[in-house]
């Protein structure tokens, strides 16, 4: 659809932050990378596809924000200095922050597709996609949904052990 | 025009593709699987449930090790709990690793490269000691770097096989190590283990708020599926320098750590385990940290926690016996 082609059309580079292993610092790196790029004058967005354990909203201190809708879809939450970082996370869609999202694969896949095609990102130099640990539904669906767009590549995070 | 959209996801739980509510629950609206589920079987296959019950009949106690957060030490704790319980040679211990994408247990137990053998009575667990058997997808891979890139349904199928086809024999303690999250693996293991009974869950965290916020969700998950919570373990809780003996908070408990969370949520804090670099080393080398560093403060903490878990299970069991 036109909307699908519009929502990511203004994004120059898409970066995936992956690991396999949990707790190695994917979300931390995604956040710091976004902040550093923004400081360097780039327009940045973060898409948090960790549906069970979304960490990005708290890391950027916007955990109490809400998502609004507009004609082209969902409006990302703007954070950072000058509100210049665009963010989308399931964390913003929970009624209460401690609510568990207890979903099986198919439902997770449907939301991830929406996150990729229905968020009105606007013009971004970089969209950083933070992922949960593993090589499963979230990862397969994210890569599949991002295939038609400018996927630059993946950064893999680990610890020494 | 911008319209506020607060999507209510707190009640949006998948009832389970095998449940009687499959495709029919409120949460099923909008799920791409809804049609398939609604058209499918009316409920869980009774023959399957009977098979699982038969297989798990000889399991006395089952403990799930959960977190919500990754990298906090679930597998480390599961391995040490197994070693700790198996130190009593009269007890038969089984360690089941249901982290399909990132199975850590084979390496931690020194069993990398081992394979699963089949016999007439089913799949044979891999034995570390005579009284300590292990099962993991890691044993089914041709190479340790092979990625298991499976969607939920396939993972669920393997978890069911682990419970149905593995010949565990008589088991005093079945410990189940899980991946981070609250998804397919967690829903499935609770569903399949309803054929036996689960004593409870041990939830692992680190002191930082970023971990606790995921762990609170896990506690809510346990409450939703009526899984008793034995208690919470706080790992990486302080570091004592072996040279100057000064204590540092590597992961500062900016919001009060597990202690405050447990108070707020009325769950038991089983113990706090300090960071000891030997723990990671022992895990990498497949050795029991408890055996390699018996004098470490971390070992003392682990042993206390293991004892509390044992007491919980034994007390629970004797209560059940009284009822029966």
């Amino acid at each position: 659809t036109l909307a699908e082609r519009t929502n990511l059309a203004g994004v120059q580079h898409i970066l995936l932050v992956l690991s396999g292993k949990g707790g190695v610092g994917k979300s931390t790196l995604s956040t710091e990378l976004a902040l550093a790029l923004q400081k360097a004058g780039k327009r940045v967005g973060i898409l948090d596809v960790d549906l069970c354990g979304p960490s990005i909203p708290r890391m950027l201190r916007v955990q109490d924000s809400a998502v609004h809708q507009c004609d082209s879809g969902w409006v990302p939450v703007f954070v950072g200095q000058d509100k210049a970082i665009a963010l989308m996370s399931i964390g913003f869609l929970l009624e209460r922050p401690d609510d568990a999202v207890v979903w099986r694969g198919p439902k997770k896949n449907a939301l991830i597709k929406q996150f990729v095609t229905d968020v009105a990102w606007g013009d971004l130099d970089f969209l950083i996609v933070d992922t949960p640990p593993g090589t499963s539904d979230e990862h397969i669906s994210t890569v599949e949904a991002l295939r038609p767009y400018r996927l630059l590549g993946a950064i893999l995070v680990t610890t020494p052990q | 025009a911008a319209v506020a959209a607060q999507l209510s996801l707190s009640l949006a739980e998948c009832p389970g593709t095998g449940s009687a509510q499959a495709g029919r629950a409120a949460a099923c609206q909008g799920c791409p699987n809804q049609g398939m589920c609604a058209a499918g079987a009316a409920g869980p296959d009774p023959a399957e449930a009977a098979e699982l019950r038969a297989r798990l009949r000889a399991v006395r106690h089952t403990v799930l090790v959960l977190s919500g957060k990754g990298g906090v030490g679930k597998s480390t704790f599961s391995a040490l709990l197994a070693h700790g319980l198996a130190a009593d040679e009269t007890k038969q211990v089984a360690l089941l690793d249901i982290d399909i994408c990132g199975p850590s247990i084979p390496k931690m137990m020194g069993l990398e490269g081992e394979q699963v053998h089949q016999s007439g009575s089913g799949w044979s667990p891999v034995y570390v000691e005579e009284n300590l058997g292990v099962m993991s997808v890691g044993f089914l891979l041709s190479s340790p770097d092979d990625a298991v890139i499976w969607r939920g349904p396939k993972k669920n199928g393997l978890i069911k096989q682990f419970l149905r086809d593995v010949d565990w024999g008589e088991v005093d303690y079945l410990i189940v190590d899980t991946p981070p999250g609250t998804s397919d693996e967690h829903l499935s293991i609770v569903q399949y283990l309803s054929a036996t009974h689960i004593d409870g869950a041990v939830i692992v965290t680190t002191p930082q708020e970023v971990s606790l916020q995921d762990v609170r969700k896990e506690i809510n998950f346990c409450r939703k599926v009526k899984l008793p919570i034995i208690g919470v373990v706080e790992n990486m809780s302080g570091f004592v320098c072996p040279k100057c003996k000064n204590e540092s908070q590597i992961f500062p408990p900016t919001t009060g750590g597990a202690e405050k969370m447990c108070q707020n949520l009325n769950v038991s804090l089983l113990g706090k385990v300090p960071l000891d670099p030997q723990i990671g080393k022992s895990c990498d080398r497949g050795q029991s940290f408890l055996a390699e560093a018996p004098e470490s403060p971390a070992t003392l903490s682990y042993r206390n926690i293991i004892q509390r878990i044992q007491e919980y299970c034994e007390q629970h069991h004797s209560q059940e016996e009284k009822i029966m």
Side-chain angles (χ1 to χ4, degrees):
Chain A
T1 68
L2 187 61
E4 282 178 44
R5 264 179 269 141
T6 305
N7 278 335
L8 277 174
V11 175
Q12 295 309 307
H13 302 294
I14 303 173
L15 280 167
L16 253 59
V17 179
L18 301 172
S19 179
K21 185 86 182 85
V24 295
K26 288 179 290 308
S27 299
T28 305
L29 180 76
S30 299
T31 303
E32 295 302 325
L33 182 57
L35 289 167
L37 286 168
Q38 188 249 326
K39 240 196 157 114
K42 305 294 179 194
R43 293 157 306 180
V44 192
I46 308 178
L47 171 56
D48 177 6
V49 298
D50 188 341
L51 303 184
C52 295
S55 302
I56 306 283
R58 173 163 267 274
M59 288 187 175
L60 288 168
R61 308 223 294 205
V62 287
Q63 61 268 34
D64 298 324
S65 299
V67 168
H68 292 65
Q69 283 186 336
C70 66
D71 291 337
S72 21
W74 296 357
V75 181
V77 172
F78 290 98
V79 307
Q81 243 177 352
D82 305 325
K83 304 281 179 194
I85 298 181
L87 173 53
M88 183 52 64
S89 167
I90 202 176
F92 301 131
L93 305 177
L94 302 174
E95 265 181 19
R96 284 170 305 254
D98 297 343
D99 282 347
V101 174
V102 186
W103 290 359
R104 289 190 185 272
K107 197 149 185 167
K108 292 197 282 187
N109 300 335
L111 186 65
I112 287 172
K113 260 196 102 193
Q114 275 196 285
F115 272 175
V116 171
T117 58
D118 292 357
V119 175
W121 294 106
D123 290 329
L124 295 178
D125 296 297
F126 291 96
L127 177 62
I128 297 163
V129 184
D130 185 31
T131 63
T135 47
S136 188
D137 287 279
E138 295 88 332
H139 313 86
I140 300 170
S141 297
T142 301
V143 170
E144 277 178 0
L146 287 175
R147 238 180 247 296
Y149 305 102
R150 292 187 206 90
L151 188 47
L152 187 61
I155 300 174
L156 273 73
V157 186
T158 185
T159 56
Q161 37 168 171
Chain B
V3 175
Q6 176 78 41
L7 304 181
S8 170
L9 299 179
S10 55
L11 299 174
E13 295 160 41
C14 167
T17 53
S19 101
Q21 281 298 300
R24 291 171 243 270
C28 298
Q29 294 303 316
C31 175
N33 244 23
Q34 186 182 15
M36 257 168 56
C37 285
D45 182 351
E48 224 168 52
E51 254 184 310
L52 283 173
R53 250 195 313 277
R55 226 10 148 171
L56 299 171
R57 194 184 358 222
V59 174
R60 290 186 76 221
H61 298 292
T62 302
V63 175
L64 257 55
V65 181
L66 303 174
S67 180
K69 185 84 183 84
V72 295
K74 285 178 294 310
S75 299
T76 304
F77 184 76
S78 301
L80 295 180
L81 178 58
H83 276 300
L85 292 169
D88 178 352
E89 284 169 8
T90 67
K91 297 278 189 259
Q92 193 67 28
V93 181
L95 177 55
L96 172 58
D97 176 8
I98 61 166
D99 188 339
I100 311 288
C101 296
S104 302
I105 296 291
K107 179 171 261 303
M108 289 185 175
M109 301 301 280
L111 298 174
E112 264 201 324
E114 295 286 337
Q115 306 248 282
V116 170
H117 299 283
Q118 282 195 7
S119 73
S121 42
W123 295 5
S124 204
V126 179
Y127 286 92
V128 180
E129 314 280 349
E130 258 189 59
N131 68 333
L132 176 45
V134 181
M135 182 53 63
S136 166
V137 74
F139 301 135
L140 306 175
L141 304 175
S142 33
S143 147
D145 298 342
D146 283 347
V148 179
I149 311 171
W150 290 358
R151 289 193 184 276
K154 202 158 175 171
K155 292 194 283 187
N156 299 335
L158 184 61
I159 292 170
K160 199 193 309 188
Q161 272 198 286
F162 278 163
L163 293 171
R164 190 192 60 203
D165 295 347
V166 174
D167 181 21
W168 294 106
E170 296 231 354
V171 171
D172 292 287
Y173 290 96
L174 170 62
I175 299 155
V176 184
D177 184 31
T178 63
T182 49
S183 189
D184 286 274
E185 298 89 330
H186 312 87
L187 282 167
S188 294
I189 195 71
V190 168
Q191 199 183 318
Y192 299 143
L193 284 178
S194 63
T196 174
H197 100 108
I198 308 178
D199 289 61
V202 173
I203 305 184
V204 185
T205 186
T206 56
Q208 39 167 174
E209 175 56 25
V210 169
S211 298
L212 297 174
Q213 82 179 348
D214 288 352
V215 169
R216 288 189 200 100
K217 293 184 203 294
E218 198 72 19
I219 290 173
N220 277 328
F221 167 79
C222 290
R223 291 185 166 150
K224 272 187 181 141
V225 300
K226 304 205 187 350
L227 178 57
I229 297 171
I230 301 175
V232 171
V233 174
E234 185 182 81
N235 268 343
M236 307 188 201
S237 188
F239 169 71
V240 178
C241 174
K243 294 205 166 125
C244 69
K245 311 296 179 193
N246 253 337
E247 177 161 349
S248 315
Q249 294 296 328
I250 308 285
F251 296 105
T254 60
T255 57
E259 194 159 346
K260 186 104 197 289
M261 177 189 71
C262 287
Q263 270 169 18
N264 289 346
L265 296 179
N266 199 26
V267 296
S268 199
L269 177 63
L270 292 173
K272 300 190 201 183
V273 184
L275 254 175
D276 183 333
Q278 182 65 40
I279 298 174
K281 269 193 230 173
S282 296
C283 283
D284 276 5
R285 291 184 11 231
Q287 298 301 313
S288 164
F289 166 74
L290 304 177
E292 294 210 306
E295 305 299 318
S296 165
T299 298
L300 186 60
S301 294
Y302 277 131
R303 288 205 185 281
N304 283 339
I305 292 167
I306 293 170
Q307 187 170 352
R308 289 187 66 177
I309 294 170
Q310 237 173 322
E311 282 165 10
Y312 177 98
C313 290
E314 296 298 327
Q315 186 188 51
H316 196 103
H317 187 79
S318 63
Q319 276 176 354
E320 277 219 339
E321 282 183 329
K322 279 192 200 135
I323 292 169
M324 283 159 71

